[in-house]
């Protein structure tokens, strides 16, 4: 993560996808695998005890594992080597049972599912905050007149509440789709070298289920080494969410221009300042969300491009996907966090909104001004806004109770 990327994400997502956390997730997989195999008689209890006791990230040189992964072609290879060495120090007889019946992609994909679950939960929490702030603004300003603008020009009068409801609606839909996509995608990966679990003597399906249960992941019922559709579908939903957040940020940045002055991001010490112009209030939350919206499409495109993978295990495609995935989650959460922080305290200048309408009315023929720019037009827009708010809240409640 470079100096130019850190402020576009969050410390929580950076931690979730850190080297330390990812190695810890791989070790959690190895421990769960060994426990499941021991319970089914595939691994001796004494060996399982030694292996599980060694699956502690603090026992390993994470930086060395990462360095060695470049030469090995997979971060799992130096990890398993180090784990075998650690186990062998106390119980040489347990070494053959380390990573038994699994393969590098099993441990990496499962670890990625575990850390992605952390990232998705963070994103969902901040999206919920953003939605609630928008629905509150939509209710409070249901009938507040504002210029509607099409093709960047004044079109008619609407209400700011309806605008907020329109911002919230895609987030509500995205929240539901993201949760559903995660339910389908966040599965344990365990297929062995070619997906057959042949080493597990017919106990493979039972082992997979036990590992899934312990780690709290789904069980797809089959290996998905080169079946990336559900996984990439989750990535696509993250891209859609980031685009919807970017749309809100674009509108806020335009409405916050000095010449328009209808809204402004919250003020606080050190926020949105300039190194040269002390009078400036830069919309930094919108900036972060817009940067994410411009970066996410390339990440999603890379995931889609990596899908045509060879036979049972990929050469290059899977590795490209792994490199892009954390960046997509980081951008999505950076965007969600930025707007979740700005929207509750959004400064809304209803008087300026009305002044902009009046200024335009003064330049138009009376007939056109009354037909298109009568502030009373905000009344019907407000009624629509309140209906939309009610529908969105009902949608949120229904999705929450169905979990």
């Amino acid at each position: 993560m470079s100096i130019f990327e850190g402020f576009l994400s969050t410390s929580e997502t950076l931690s979730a996808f850190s080297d330390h956390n990812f190695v810890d997730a791989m070790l959690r997989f190895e421990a769960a695998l060994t426990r499941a195999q021991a319970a089914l008689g595939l691994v001796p209890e004494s060996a399982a005890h030694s292996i599980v006791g060694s699956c502690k990230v603090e026992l390993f040189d994470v930086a060395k594992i990462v360095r060695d992964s470049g030469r090995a072609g997979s971060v799992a290879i130096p990890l398993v080597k180090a784990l075998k060495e650690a186990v062998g120090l106390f119980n040489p007889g347990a070494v053959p049972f380390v990573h038994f019946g699994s393969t590098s992609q099993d441990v990496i994909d499962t670890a990625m599912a575990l850390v992605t679950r952390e990232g998705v939960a963070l994103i969902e929490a901040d999206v919920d905050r953003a939605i609630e702030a928008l629905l509150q603004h939509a209710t409070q300003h249901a009938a507040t007149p504002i210029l509607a603008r099409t093709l960047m020009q004044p079109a008619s009068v609407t209400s700011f509440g309806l605008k907020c409801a329109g911002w919230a609606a895609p987030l509500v839909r995205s929240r539901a789709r993201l949760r559903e996509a995660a339910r389908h995608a966040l599965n344990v990966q365990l297929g062995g070298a070619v997906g057959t679990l042949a080493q597990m003597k017919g106990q493979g399906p039972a082992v997979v289920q036990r590992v899934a249960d312990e780690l709290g992941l789904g069980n797809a019922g089959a290996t998905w080494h080169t079946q990336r559709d559900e996984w990439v579908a989750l990535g696509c939903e993250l891209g859609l969410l980031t685009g919807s957040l970017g749309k809100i940020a674009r509108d806020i940045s335009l409405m916050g221009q000095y010449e328009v002055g209808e809204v402004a991001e919250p003020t606080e010490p050190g926020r949105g300042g300039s190194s040269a112009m002390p009078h400036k209030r830069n919309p930094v939350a919108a900036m972060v969300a817009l940067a994410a919206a411009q970066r996410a499409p390339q990440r999603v495109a890379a995931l889609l491009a990596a899908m045509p993978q060879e036979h049972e295990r990929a050469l290059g495609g899977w590795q490209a996907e792994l490199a892009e995935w954390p960046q997509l989650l980081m951008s999505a959460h950076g965007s969600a966090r930025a707007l979740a922080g700005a929207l509750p305290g959004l400064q809304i200048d209803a008087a300026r909104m009305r002044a902009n309408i009046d200024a335009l009315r003064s330049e138009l023929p009376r007939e056109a001004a009354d037909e298109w720019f009568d502030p009373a037009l905000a009344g019907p827009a407000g009624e629509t806004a309140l209906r939309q708010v009610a529908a969105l809240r009902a949608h949120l409640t229904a999705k929450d109770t169905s979990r």
Side-chain angles (χ1 to χ4, degrees), residues 168-233:
L171 300 188
V172 171
R173 293 190 292 267
S174 221
R175 174 185 183 270
R177 290 196 307 266
L178 182 63
R179 186 168 291 169
E180 187 68 7
R183 186 175 70 83
H184 287 289
L186 297 179
N187 294 312
V188 69
Q189 178 77 280
L190 183 53
V194 294
T196 63
L197 294 171
Q199 289 179 282
M200 297 195 195
K201 303 174 183 177
Q203 299 271 44
V207 171
V208 174
Q209 189 59 55
R210 283 177 174 270
V211 174
D213 290 343
E214 177 172 337
L215 297 178
L217 295 174
N219 179 0
T223 184
W224 46 282
H225 287 153
T226 53
Q227 299 173 24
R228 312 305 287 183
D229 53 315
E230 298 286 13
W231 188 249
V232 175

Side-chain angles (χ1 to χ4, degrees), residues 23 37 54 57 61 64 102 137 167 356-357 381:
V23 169
Q37 291 170 333
S54 299
V57 69
D61 185 342
K64 183 177 186 303
S102 63
H137 291 320
W167 287 341
N356 287 338
I357 295 171

